[in-house]
Structures are given as structure tokens and as C-alpha cells.
Amino acid sequence: AYKKNPQGSARDYATSLSYRIQCGRELAFEDKELYQKILQHTSRERLCEWLSDNHIGTRVYFDYIRACDYLRLNLGDTKVLFPKNFGEMHDLYTRQYRSHEREQEKKKYEKISREMKKTADRFFFLAYSDEEYEVRLATCKSDLIDEGHDLGICVGRMDYDERQANGKIMICFIRKQSDPFT
């Protein structure tokens, strides 16, 4: 506070420090390393004011910055750090980042997917098809991830994959023959 205003009063310093502490609390990012990258290019106060002026929550902004960092965008560029059309840029960058995350997740679970396939092979008789419907067996982790993502349910995030791989359950998907992909 003194560096910014050497002629200031004690009250000015206290107000300035109080504001900086408030900004620090409001900008409590989970990823401290990424937070430090941001602070190399702006101040807590400026970031706090920008978020407040644009009605943007810190969690949403952090998702955006994490995506920008993954995409190796220049955080020193004010157009990246403080985009005019934040909502549009957030959606674009986080969609690309989430796609990458899903791909990494799928690779991570190759082993468990092999075990799920073995269980599905043992329960092949559950597969069913008639003129109106078909029943498909989940054969890999990515089936569960995609189903959970598409329907907004927990099947891709919980331990269903492990339980199927261990033969405790068998997960099936029911589809209309007229539209087997939804």
C-alpha cells in the first residue's frame, strides 16, 4: 500500500490492505500454480474488479483459465485474460478441454475395459433385439462415460465399471431400433 501511495495516510493503507485481503478471499483458486500464472500478468485487485463488473464467478473463471492453460493460450494477452465475450470464449475453450479430458480418461481405463468386455462376453445372452428395441451390453469404460455424459447421469463416474469388470453386475443399454444412437 505504501509503494502505491507513499503520501497516503494510515487509514488509506488499512483500506487498501483490507481490499487486497477481500480480493484474495474472493479469488481463492484451487490450483495455486495456475493462480500464480495469472498473477504474473495482472493484480488480484484488477482481476477481482473485472470478475465483479462482468458478473463472473471464480469457479467459472477458473474453468476458463484452466482450459486456456491447457490450450497453451498466452495468459499475458489481455484478450485471453479478460475476454470481451467471456461466455462464448468460456464455452469454446472448456468444450475443447473437456473433450481432451474425456479422451485421457478413456485411455486411462483400457485395462478395466478389457475386464468389462470379458464379463459382457459371459453374459452375451442378455443382448436382445426385436423390430422395435435392442438391448446392448456395455463392453468398455468409454461406453459408460459416453452414456453418463449424454444422459447426465452417474454411470460413467461411479464404480459401475469396476463392478462389471468383477462380474458383480452387467450394464445394458436399451435403444429404439429406429434411432440406436440415442
Side-chain angles (χ1 to χ4, degrees), residues 28-169:
F29 286 94
E30 298 164 6
D31 185 335
K32 300 299 180 197
E33 186 178 320
L34 188 54
Y35 184 46
Q36 290 305 317
K37 284 183 182 181
I38 296 168
L39 292 180
Q40 290 175 3
H41 307 290
T42 190
S43 68
R44 288 178 185 88
E45 295 86 352
R46 182 171 181 212
L47 181 57
C48 190
E49 286 175 21
W50 186 82
L51 292 173
S52 177
D53 291 347
N54 290 283
H55 310 288
I56 299 169
T58 55
R59 278 186 125 35
V60 174
Y61 186 74
F62 178 72
D63 286 344
Y64 165 78
I65 289 296
R66 184 175 43 209
C68 290
D69 189 52
Y70 162 73
L71 295 169
R72 300 178 195 261
L73 300 178
N74 180 5
L75 296 179
D77 184 351
T78 56
K79 292 177 185 172
V80 173
L81 210 53
F82 305 113
K84 288 184 181 177
N85 48 354
F86 177 79
E88 186 179 316
M89 300 313 290
H90 169 275
D91 293 348
L92 175 67
Y93 296 154
T94 56
R95 194 175 324 116
Q96 292 174 32
Y97 178 69
R98 299 264 189 272
S99 175
H100 163 75
E101 277 186 324
R102 280 196 301 276
E103 288 305 314
Q104 292 300 329
E105 204 170 87
K106 287 177 185 179
K107 289 177 185 176
K108 182 178 171 184
Y109 294 109
E110 286 179 6
K111 180 182 178 202
I112 205 158
S113 292
R114 286 191 298 274
E115 296 301 317
M116 287 178 66
K117 173 76 169 113
K118 288 179 187 176
T119 301
D121 290 345
R122 285 189 321 193
F123 289 91
F124 70 94
F125 57 88
L126 292 176
Y128 170 80
S129 181
D130 66 16
E131 292 178 11
E132 195 171 350
Y133 296 101
E134 72 176 310
V135 176
R136 293 184 187 169
L137 306 177
T139 58
C140 61
K141 174 75 175 173
S142 65
D143 287 349
L144 301 182
I145 292 170
D146 292 343
E147 189 78 4
H149 181 267
D150 292 346
L151 298 178
I153 58 175
C154 65
V155 75
R157 297 182 308 248
M158 303 299 279
D159 68 342
Y160 295 104
D161 56 339
E162 293 173 16
R163 292 193 287 174
Q164 181 173 325
N166 295 329
K168 294 180 181 176
I169 64 171

Side-chain angles (χ1 to χ4, degrees), residues 1-36:
Y2 178 76
K3 284 182 182 178
K4 288 185 178 182
N5 184 8
Q7 280 72 37
S9 66
R11 173 176 239 142
D12 293 337
Y13 299 149
T15 302
S16 177
L17 289 172
S18 175
Y19 179 68
R20 292 190 78 199
I21 290 169
Q22 175 189 349
C23 288
R25 284 189 188 127
E26 290 178 12
L27 298 174
F29 286 94
E30 298 164 6
D31 185 335
K32 300 299 180 197
E33 186 178 320
L34 188 54
Y35 184 46
Q36 290 305 317

